[in-house]
Amino acid sequence: MAAIEQIAANRSFGGWHRRYRHTSAVLGCDMQFAVYLPPQVEQGERLPVLYWLSGLTCTDENFMQKAGAQRLAAELGLVIVAPDTSPRGAGVPDDPDGAWDFGLGAGFYVNATQQPWAAHYRMYDYVVSELPALVEANFPVTAQRSISGHSMGGHGALVCALKNPGRYQSVSAFAPISNPSNCPWGQKALGNYLGPERDSWKAWDTCELLAQASERLPLLVDQGEDDSFLAEQLQPEALQAAAERVGHPLTLRRQPGYDHSYYFIASFIDDHLRHHARALGRPG
């Protein structure tokens, strides 16, 4: 198991927000991730983990600094782990035109098969396997996990849960890219990372995965009605239709007046934390 190096620590609601660096064998580069450890860990309690996947251009810092999740996580006894959104560093390729919606900061939580991306862009394996193994080996946590995310990270959370029945106790998303095979962000990412054969994209598309899901884990999704990306990129109506076709439990909440920002996430994060806490057997 790779060693981890602590690079920052801040006291927060009786617990600790800490940041770490480690060398990822899966991604072939150094990675950073953040952990919120509630006060119960100092009392010797082992706690379940909520993994948070952030959106395009983000790092591990966005959610931890802007979502305001630590207060209730401390009360509920939930560890929160936030990875970066892509591999980074010397030798990791970026969008050749420097675009913000592909490459660095935009790993899309898939396993790339095309060059030059395949050597580093394996964020799915990192999130599902390597990072949890690292967390469970180094922190006082249980093997119970839940997963959530925003935008590209909402897509990632839904895909990780649907592709791994039994691995997560709950899943939720804010403004997820619901049908990446049919939106510009998704088509650019999947086309580059996986190649032009669209059949290969289906394994990374929530709407496609719902049709074959062997586990009917309830989905909680919040979507702002004033989100500027709503119609073109996010397509919650496609998610709703896909869930209805197979009878997959979905709570899709459309929130009037809310946009795509962390103001939106902070407004409803408590509902999501309680959703995960119930599934993880935490009091409150």
Side-chain angles (χ1 to χ4, degrees), residues 32-84:
Q32 295 181 173
F33 66 95
V35 180
Y36 177 67
L37 297 168
Q40 292 89 337
V41 302
E42 294 182 0
Q43 301 159 12
E45 192 171 351
R46 301 180 72 85
L47 300 175
V49 182
L50 172 63
Y51 289 87
W52 172 269
L53 307 184
S54 288
L56 291 165
T57 76
C58 291
T59 68
D60 64 282
E61 296 185 278
N62 296 74
F63 177 81
M64 291 298 198
Q65 293 183 3
K66 297 179 179 180
Q70 290 91 341
R71 179 192 59 80
L72 187 56
E75 177 185 322
L76 296 172
L78 292 179
V79 173
I80 301 176
V81 173
D84 203 344

Side-chain angles (χ1 to χ4, degrees), residues 15 32 67 72-73 75 82 104 137 168 198 209 221 224-225 247 268 282:
Q32 295 181 173
L72 187 56
E75 177 185 322
L104 299 184
Y168 301 98
R198 294 177 67 95
L209 290 170
V221 174
E225 286 289 272
F268 301 102
R282 296 302 301 170

Side-chain angles (χ1 to χ4, degrees), residues 195-212:
E197 179 49 62
R198 294 177 67 95
D199 279 348
S200 67
W201 300 3
K202 293 179 180 180
W204 307 100
D205 189 308
T206 296
C207 290
E208 298 286 347
L209 290 170
L210 282 170
Q212 53 189 297

